[in-house]
Structures are given as structure tokens and as C-alpha cells.
Amino acid sequence: MYYNNKQIKKNAMALLKRNYWWIILTALLFGVISGDANIDLNIGNHISTFNTIFNDRNRIGNNDSVYTPYDDSSRDRSSDDKDDDKDDIEKYDDSVDGNNTDNYDSNEFDDLEDRLDKIMDRVRMKGSASKEDIEELKDVIKEIIGKDKSIANAIIGVIIIALIITGIVVIVSMLVKALLFNPLKIGLYRWFLNNRNENQKNVDTWGYGFTKNYKNVVKIMFLRDLYTFFWGLLFIIPGIVKGYEYKMIPYLLAENADMTSQEVFERTKTMMRGRKSKAFYLDLSFIGWNILVALTSGLLGIFFVNPYYYLCCAEFYIAACFGDSYYEQSQNNNQTLNIEV
């Protein structure tokens, strides 16, 4: 099991060295549409902010008009002015203390806050807000703001509008993924498979998912995502297991986009039987690399880790197609497993 993964990673590394820049370009596009290209674009902002603060401190330090503890001009105010300021501060403190005593009960506020948290947790778990949730939320907000109906209705209106906008964004994102990103990913999977046999230096293969049985590709990839989501609702473990079981679906479609959904799901189930743990250990072996990716603000992921991982996944598919023993034997004998895609 471990030896097979070692051979897979060794072969993936050789492929990466053979056609480095084209693999980097393809992997970068794949990472962008998959959400794997995590690069911290705020680094420049952080540096800019630091420089701004540093320059401001220097500017203030060199500005004679700024008050310093040794500036005599700050002491020109009369004692009467200072006494007036002191009286104003005392009056303000008294008014604040009085208002806090009259209008706020900390225990009552904590109870309302707990009720509000429970409502929001329920909405997050269900993925939507029911009529009862909205009514209860409305009651809580009314109590918090002193039962002012006009303000409560305004707040509820803003929340409902925000939920509607969020729902629209989610639906649009799902459509973009199903109709655009998934077919494009199939073309990228095919590109990685073709790269095993020759140095790919064109992008024609990227459009395979759009030109070859587009509707079938969209349907099967949508079903894969849908089934994985529903299995994930049965706690985390079933979703993870099914995610690994469906791992071969994109590669199967990349080889033959005319396969029916039944054929694809049966084939991936057969290929991953006894190999889910191998795929899990392969992913687990990249934890150290992912830590380094985070430490380099994603740069290491773009130029090495992500392309290396995608090539390993393609090699894992080849091993599953030909059988682990044949794959290991061919690699030991320095043979190439040529496939027609």
C-alpha cells in the first residue's frame, strides 16, 4: 500500500520535471476553479499598512505643531476652563450610569443573546430560515431594541433581504460550477492524462468537457456533487467515504464522456474498492506540504505542491485502471503505461 503510493509520487515528480511550465499553467487554472489556489493577496496591503504607520510616526515626531508632553503651549489654558471640562465629564459619567441603571439588565440581555444565537445556529444547520424562525427572531430583536416595532421591522427587512441575496448568490454559484467549472475540470483532467504520454503544449484538450457530450458531463458531475452532499449530511465520515468512492468519476469522463451515469458510478465503485485507504494515505502525505504552502502564502502551492498533487491523482487513476501490481512492475522496469484518451 505505502509502496504503491511511493511509486505514484516518484512517477508524478518525473512528469512534473519533464513538462514543468505547462503543468504549472494547467494546475493554476485547475486550482482557481477548484478553490485550491490559496494565495494571500493581502501581503502587499499588510506591508503598505506597516509603511503608512511607520511614516506617520516619523511625520508626527518631526512635526512641531503636534502636542508633546514638553510643549508649553498646551499649558496656556486657564484653570477655569479646566474646571469646566471636569464638570462636563462628571455630568456625562452620571448620565451614562443613570441610563445603564434604568434601561439595561445584563442578565436579561444575556438571555436574549443566547436566544438569538440558538436561532442563528438553527438557521445555519437547516440552510434556510422557516417562518417560525423569522417570527422568533423578530420577537427577540423587538425586546433588544425596546419593543420599537418600526425599528424591528426595518431590521427584519434587512435580514430577509440579506438572506435572499445570499440564496441568489448560492444558486448562481452552483449553476456556474455545474455548467462551466465542472466541464472545464474534465478537460483539465484529460490534459493531465494525456501529459503522461507526451509533453502537452496546447490548450485544445481543456475544452473537451464542452465539446464531447456536454450535457452528459454536466449531469454526471452534478449527480456526484449532489450525492456527496447528501452523504455528508449523515455526519462527516460517510461523506468522506463517498467522496473517495467517487474520486475516479472525473477521470472516467475525461477518458470517455459518453459513459452513462450508471456505468460511471458502478465503475468508480469497483475501482475504489480496497483503494479508499490508499487514496486517503496519499492525501495524508501532503499535510506537511500544505503547511509549507500556508507559510509561503500559497506561492509554494502554485509552483510545486498543487501541480505535484494533481499529477499524483492522475497516476493513482492509472494504477487503479491497470491494477496496482502491474503498475508497480512497469515502474520498476522503467516502462511507460500508455493510454489512449
Side-chain angles (χ1 to χ4, degrees):
M1 176 167 56
Y2 293 98
Y3 184 73
N4 178 256
N5 283 344
K6 183 178 179 180
Q7 287 296 113
I8 285 173
K9 297 176 78 171
K10 180 180 178 181
N11 204 41
M13 182 65 71
L15 292 171
L16 179 61
K17 294 178 180 178
R18 191 179 71 182
N19 195 18
Y20 180 75
W21 287 111
W22 275 98
I23 293 175
I24 293 296
L25 178 61
T26 306
L28 179 60
L29 177 59
F30 193 96
V32 169
I33 64 177
S34 302
D36 296 332
N38 297 321
I39 179 169
D40 188 359
L41 299 179
N42 293 322
I43 297 177
N45 294 335
H46 301 330
I47 296 175
S48 177
T49 302
F50 174 79
N51 289 334
T52 301
I53 296 173
F54 182 77
N55 292 333
D56 287 345
R57 290 183 63 185
N58 289 338
R59 178 177 57 80
I60 293 173
N62 297 326
N63 193 340
D64 295 335
S65 63
V66 178
Y67 166 74
T68 64
Y70 304 100
D71 190 353
D72 294 335
S73 62
S74 64
R75 302 173 185 173
D76 294 338
R77 302 175 64 210
S78 65
S79 59
D80 293 337
D81 292 336
K82 294 180 180 179
D83 292 339
D84 292 339
D85 291 344
K86 185 177 180 180
D87 293 338
D88 291 339
I89 294 174
E90 291 177 353
K91 291 179 181 179
Y92 174 78
D93 291 339
D94 293 338
S95 64
V96 171
D97 293 339
N99 289 335
N100 287 339
T101 303
D102 295 338
N103 298 330
Y104 292 98
D105 185 340
S106 60
N107 293 331
E108 182 179 357
F109 184 81
D110 291 340
D111 293 339
L112 293 174
E113 186 177 12
D114 291 339
R115 287 177 58 191
L116 185 60
D117 290 339
K118 290 179 181 178
I119 296 171
M120 300 309 296
D121 289 340
R122 264 200 325 267
V123 172
R124 281 193 293 267
M125 291 180 61
K126 294 187 295 185
S128 61
S130 63
K131 184 178 180 180
E132 292 76 11
D133 293 331
I134 295 177
E135 290 299 327
E136 185 177 356
L137 180 61
K138 187 175 180 179
D139 293 338
V140 172
I141 293 177
K142 282 182 179 180
E143 294 184 45
I144 292 177
I145 63 176
K147 299 182 180 180
D148 190 326
K149 294 183 179 180
S150 61
I151 299 179
N153 291 333
I155 295 176
I156 291 297
V158 171
I159 293 176
I160 292 176
I161 292 174
L163 291 175
I164 293 175
I165 294 175
T166 302
I168 293 175
V169 170
V170 170
I171 293 174
V172 171
S173 300
M174 292 175 60
L175 290 175
V176 170
K177 180 181 180 182
L179 301 178
L180 180 62
F181 287 172
N182 281 344
L184 180 56
K185 287 169 69 175
I186 295 302
L188 298 176
Y189 279 113
R190 186 177 179 85
W191 190 95
F192 280 113
L193 292 176
N194 283 341
N195 183 70
R196 300 188 77 259
N197 304 326
E198 56 180 310
N199 292 340
Q200 291 288 300
K201 300 184 186 304
N202 62 76
V203 296
D204 296 340
T205 311
W206 291 1
Y208 176 80
F210 297 99
T211 59
K212 185 67 173 178
N213 208 339
Y214 171 75
K215 292 182 179 179
N216 190 54
V217 169
V218 170
K219 181 185 74 172
I220 294 178
M221 291 295 288
F222 175 77
L223 290 176
R224 183 200 69 160
D225 295 338
L226 186 64
Y227 293 163
T228 304
F229 171 76
F230 282 128
W231 278 105
L233 295 179
L234 301 175
F235 302 106
I236 299 176
I237 301 301
I240 295 176
V241 172
K242 284 298 178 179
Y244 280 108
E245 182 176 301
Y246 300 152
K247 191 177 181 68
M248 300 292 101
I249 289 179
Y251 294 100
L252 291 170
L253 291 175
E255 283 202 84
N256 184 7
D258 294 326
M259 296 179 68
T260 66
S261 58
Q262 182 178 357
E263 291 173 340
V264 170
F265 280 95
E266 289 180 355
R267 178 64 175 157
T268 187
K269 184 177 181 180
T270 301
M271 294 176 68
M272 292 303 294
R273 185 177 294 120
R275 293 190 177 91
K276 297 185 189 70
S277 59
K278 294 183 180 182
F280 175 74
Y281 288 130
L282 180 63
D283 290 344
L284 200 63
S285 66
F286 278 83
I287 288 181
W289 285 116
N290 289 329
I291 293 175
L292 293 178
V293 168
L295 294 177
T296 58
S297 300
L299 293 176
L300 185 62
I302 291 176
F303 292 103
F304 177 71
V305 178
N306 289 345
Y308 181 36
Y309 175 74
Y310 299 147
L311 290 171
C312 286
C313 291
E315 289 297 302
F316 187 92
Y317 170 75
I318 299 301
C321 284
F322 286 88
D324 296 339
S325 59
Y326 180 74
Y327 179 86
E328 293 175 6
Q329 182 179 359
S330 65
Q331 298 307 309
N332 290 334
N333 296 331
N334 294 322
Q335 299 175 358
T336 301
L337 293 176
N338 294 316
I339 58 173
E340 298 294 334
V341 294

